[in-house]
DNA sequence: CTTAGCACTCGAATGCTTGGAGTGCTAAAA
DNA sequence: TTTTAGCACTCCAAGCATTCGAGTGCTAAG
């Protein structure tokens, strides 16, 4: 059914999609004819549109309505017809200014960038931070926190800080803790957390042999701390933008499904899954996304890097009828920006 | 206009509110007559309802419709007519089980309790944690985090951990840091953060006199760290429950306003403001809440204590037509539970 | 291959009718 | 004096017919 298009067909498709993105209404042949400077009459356009429909790029809600792009239509549009505009100056400036804010902590910064991105795009913005897997440790320390508790604090490349409070019955002296810290840092700095996990297991055998009870305990505690804890953090900003989209407001069921999805970390992670693999932009149109229950949303997302590894991904979630030509460079730019910000932290 | 009610009037009002809470539809005289076991005919009920309307407790959407409780009607209901039921066993059990989960960190626990509460109530649940103002410090430590950065970590009563990453050009040796830590802990443990702030300012003068450059620097860094940072954290769970309420779904504008409000920390803090003062339950009905733009929501909230001071508040946000007799004990119980959980951390 | 012309389709908007739920009032009953 | 049966009245919601117009597909001429 779906084939390639000649120049004319492509132009018509492009205009249909453009117009539909703008108006959210079915587009008629008259409109397209005008948009193309009346080089072709509505009747001709109708013929072309009928062809496009046959090829699966357009659809008719009912006989006497205009045409609406299908998922395939949007896909073709994004792949071949999109005007790859550069990001407008003022938007670049705003993003850069935000990224330059020095005082904020890493996760506060991400949240604010995400909010700004959602404002600029009028879509909901989602960020997944995979704190652990990939980022090398800058320091790992243990410190006392009250009578029978110790706190394990890890600082990652990029300024991410993670901590775990652990119950510990037997008390450690200040000296003990200092020794442990020296030992841990020697062991850990430069490793990613998953590497460290492996290293600790390895080391535990050695230490057992050496009969150093204190170090054994330190390793045990660290291993325990590393086992717990969620490996990813998720931020959602600009949920209310979903309500700006007529297609969602008309159908409360869709709205509910989307809002529920935003409340499930795992769903969001799955939505942005592909983007986590690299720094290139990923566009899922409609049912293309991996989540079963959400065939009416598109996701435009990109991973952002920190050194060698992908540190997380940032994306926009909205209706299939999204302004891709605007949104794609926005996300792309923001992802790069995030990466470079964390590089210098 | 608004006066006190005789027994009969009160009973009718109670039934109208009960029925309206259940159905979200205007309530007619027939319905009430039946509910009261036909001790009074519909005609009599009509007379009573007309009185209640005159007094401002009921209103008619239009001439030939039933009655709907006004804000004042709900207020009277909550103040005088509510059957103060105890919380049902299974709900108590669920909450307790959740509170007993040992492994989770303080903020993860709050988030999960909040989510559970939103599920049990079918409303959106909001928690405000005022981390700083009131809770005494258990420990305050500085540690190195990379080449030119130090991390200041504070552990509060209740298991709350807070950290700040600070740029620091001149490098500190391990010895320096140890001295600083001893000094800081001596200074800080047992104080609340606001007390500590004052203490540091005091101390800075002294140290200046003593010409101890290292301690000076430590104090400077600490002061800087304490000055930044938001004093409160806010969690919202169960937003999607808002969409279960017909009164909100019918009116997208209201929906938008509510969702936008959920995205503004300051708005939420204002909504729960009164509850932060004490451990008693606060009910704001409709326009009673302090936020201008949200006259259609009710807030049922309670502060939770940690030792002497209020550590935060937890509340439910929903339509004026909320099931107060269910929701009030729910919130009350959860707030107490939270307090006692953090007590033992 | 393009396009003017035309018959046709279908949804959205409009107006009309009807049914029913609910009211207020009055007058009789308790 | 209070209650209630009876009744006229109001108004919304739902159903139905009609109209309007945007848009189509097809055909035949350019």
């Amino acid at each position: 059914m779906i084939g390639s298009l000649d120049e004319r067909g492509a132009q018509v498709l492009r205009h249909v999609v453009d117009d539909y993105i703008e108006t959210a209404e079915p587009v008629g042949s008259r409109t397209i004819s005008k948009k193309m400077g009346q080089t072709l009459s509505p009747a001709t356009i109708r013929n072309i549109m009928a062809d496009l429909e046959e090829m699966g790029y357009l659809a008719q809600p009912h006989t006497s309505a205009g045409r609406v792009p299908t998922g395939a239509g949007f896909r073709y549009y994004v792949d071949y017809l999109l005007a790859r505009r550069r990001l407008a100056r003022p938007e670049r400036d705003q993003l850069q200014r935000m990224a330059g804010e020095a005082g904020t902590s890493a996760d506060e910064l991400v949240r604010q960038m995400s909010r700004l991105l959602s404002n600029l795009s009028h879509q909901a913005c989602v960020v997944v931070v995979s704190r652990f897997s990939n980022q090398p440790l800058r320091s790992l320390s243990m410190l006392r926190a009250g009578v029978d508790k110790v706190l394990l604090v890890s600082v990652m490349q990029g300024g991410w800080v993670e901590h775990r409070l652990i119950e510990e019955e037997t008390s450690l002296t200040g000296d003990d803790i200092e020794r442990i810290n020296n030992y841990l840092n020697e062991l850990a700095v430069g490793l990613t957390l998953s590497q460290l996990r492996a290293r600790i297991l390895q080391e535990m055998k050695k230490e057992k042999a050496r009969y150093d009870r204190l170090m054994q305990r330190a390793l045990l505690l660290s291993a325990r701390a590393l086992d717990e804890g969620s490996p990813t953090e998720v931020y959602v900003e600009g949920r209310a933008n979903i309500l700006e989209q007529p297609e969602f407001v008309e159908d409360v069921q869709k709205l509910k499904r989307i809002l529920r999805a935003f409340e499930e970390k795992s769903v969001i992670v799955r939505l942005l899954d592909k983007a986590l693999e690299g720094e290139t932009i990923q566009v899922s149109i409609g049912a293309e996304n991996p989540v079963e229950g959400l065939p009416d949303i598109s996701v435009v997302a990109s991973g952002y890097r920190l050194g060698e590894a992908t540190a997380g991904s940032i994306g926009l979630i909205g209706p299939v009828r999204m302004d891709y030509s605007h949104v794609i460079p926005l996300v792309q730019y923001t992802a790069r920006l995030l990466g470079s910000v964390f590089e210098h932290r």
Side-chain angles (χ1 to χ4, degrees), chain A:
Chain A
M1 200 71 149
I2 291 186
S4 72
L5 296 181
D6 58 0
E7 180 56 22
R8 257 187 9 182
Q11 286 315 310
V12 171
L13 178 56
R14 188 168 62 82
H15 280 109
V16 172
V17 175
D18 278 341
D19 193 83
Y20 183 67
I21 285 176
E22 202 181 318
T23 65
E25 297 287 322
V27 189
S29 52
R30 260 181 83 78
T31 316
I32 300 300
S33 172
K34 271 187 203 154
K35 280 210 174 190
M36 296 176 74
Q38 258 127 344
T39 55
L40 292 174
S41 77
T44 314
I45 303 289
R46 279 205 286 281
N47 288 328
I48 303 174
M49 281 169 123
D51 293 347
L52 288 170
E53 180 165 2
E54 209 174 341
M55 286 190 275
Y57 295 123
L58 296 180
Q60 258 181 316
H62 56 87
T63 333
S64 71
R67 299 308 208 291
V68 162
T70 61
F74 274 107
R75 172 48 64 197
Y76 193 96
Y77 174 86
V78 168
D79 286 347
Y80 304 116
L81 307 176
L82 207 57
R84 294 259 169 187
R85 295 187 317 211
R86 272 195 82 199
L87 198 55
R89 190 56 190 262
E91 300 191 319
R92 281 213 308 279
D93 287 351
Q94 273 190 74
L95 286 163
Q96 277 195 328
R97 209 173 315 133
M98 176 114 282
E101 301 248 324
T104 43
S105 67
D107 49 355
E108 189 54 32
L109 182 75
V110 163
R111 212 176 296 195
Q112 288 190 20
M113 291 284 279
S114 157
R115 167 170 285 217
L116 176 53
L117 188 52
S118 83
N119 284 339
L120 292 177
S121 65
H122 305 290
Q123 309 292 346
C125 179
V126 160
V127 186
V128 173
V129 180
S130 56
R131 282 193 177 160
F132 294 160
S133 32
N134 304 317
Q135 298 164 56
L137 277 165
R138 241 191 230 161
S139 86
L140 177 64
S141 323
M142 184 175 285
L143 50 90
R144 211 162 359 163
V147 185
D148 56 351
K149 292 185 187 73
V150 293
L151 188 75
L152 199 74
V153 182
S154 40
V155 182
M156 253 82 62
Q157 183 64 32
W160 293 99
V161 180
E162 194 58 28
H163 54 76
R164 300 282 164 64
L165 201 61
I166 319 169
E167 308 260 335
E168 163 65 352
E169 337 60 52
T170 50
S171 63
L172 299 162
T173 70
D175 274 355
D176 290 345
I177 293 213
E178 210 199 324
R179 276 186 61 209
I180 290 179
N181 272 335
N182 290 334
Y183 175 60
L184 282 181
N185 264 295
E186 202 175 304
L187 201 70
V189 170
L191 300 184
T192 67
L193 272 175
S194 48
Q195 289 169 331
L196 177 61
R197 212 172 297 189
R199 182 72 178 274
I200 284 180
L201 292 177
Q202 213 180 77
E203 203 72 8
M204 277 172 82
K205 292 176 200 158
K206 273 204 236 159
E207 288 300 337
K208 240 176 213 145
R210 282 211 262 139
Y211 289 99
D212 184 331
R213 301 282 303 275
L214 186 62
M215 294 308 131
Q216 246 187 71
R217 203 148 85 225
L219 287 173
L220 221 73
L221 288 177
S222 312
R224 184 137 62 92
L226 292 181
D227 278 346
E228 292 164 10
S230 68
T232 52
E233 197 62 51
V234 166
Y235 306 92
V236 184
E237 294 284 340
R239 292 169 163 88
N241 285 332
I242 294 289
L243 296 182
E244 304 295 335
Q245 311 302 334
E247 48 265 72
F248 293 146
V249 173
E250 277 161 18
D251 184 341
V252 192
Q253 293 311 313
K254 283 184 198 167
L255 261 184
K256 264 189 216 172
R257 277 201 297 271
I258 297 173
L259 279 197
R260 295 250 180 249
F262 284 156
E263 301 191 335
E264 289 297 332
K265 216 187 252 193
S266 64
V267 174
I268 293 190
V269 170
R270 253 192 303 149
L271 279 177
L272 296 205
D273 215 21
K274 260 181 288 173
L276 270 168
E277 283 161 23
E279 211 185 5
T280 55
I281 197 120
Q282 294 289 336
V283 181
S284 304
I285 293 167
E288 289 174 8
N289 80 61
V291 175
E292 292 297 306
L294 295 172
D296 308 303
I297 60 160
S298 281
V299 183
V300 175
S302 166
Y304 56 89
R305 303 176 70 85
L306 206 171
E308 301 300 297
T310 313
S313 63
I314 184 164
L316 295 173
I317 292 179
V320 175
R321 186 188 59 80
M322 235 197 277
D323 184 356
Y324 298 96
S325 70
H326 177 214
V327 143
I328 289 177
L330 251 182
V331 172
Q332 213 155 34
Y333 188 81
T334 310
R336 297 230 181 91
L337 200 56
L338 269 185
S340 80
V341 167
F342 290 131
E343 204 72 56
H344 303 117
R345 281 209 169 210

